[in-house]
Amino acid sequence: MAIEQSNPIFLAPSHGGHNPELMLSAVLHLMSHYTAGSDSAGGCVKLASVIERHLKALASLPDLAPVLSATCAQLSEQWAHEVERNLHEQEKTNFLSRIMARARTAPSVA
């Protein structure tokens, strides 16, 4: 399978310059993976954290349109809350798992 070199991702500057379109494309891609891969236990905390950082970086770009910058800042805050919520849920689940594991391995008193 050949890679099409005219794809915009390959046309991005390699010197690390700010490319809002590429960054926005990346964060939209990450968001779609977050929702597609979510299950009943919630999404991936690491992926949510990466999404939050991308949005924060986008919001801070000086050449970004004000409405897009404000939207990215607002979404960054919402994703930060999602990260905190998922971390809290994982801590509760891990704590409960440890308690249940101890209960299963504890010797029974006869």
Side-chain angles (χ1 to χ4, degrees), residues 73-92:
Q74 182 182 21
L75 289 172
S76 173
E77 290 177 20
Q78 290 177 4
W79 278 96
H81 291 298
E82 179 72 10
V83 170
E84 289 176 26
R85 185 183 66 77
N86 281 336
L87 283 174
H88 183 67
E89 288 296 320
Q90 282 185 354
E91 288 172 1
K92 286 192 322 188

Side-chain angles (χ1 to χ4, degrees), residues 98-110:
R98 287 193 307 264
I99 290 173
M100 296 302 288
R102 287 183 194 149
R104 283 190 296 256
T105 59
S108 60
V109 177

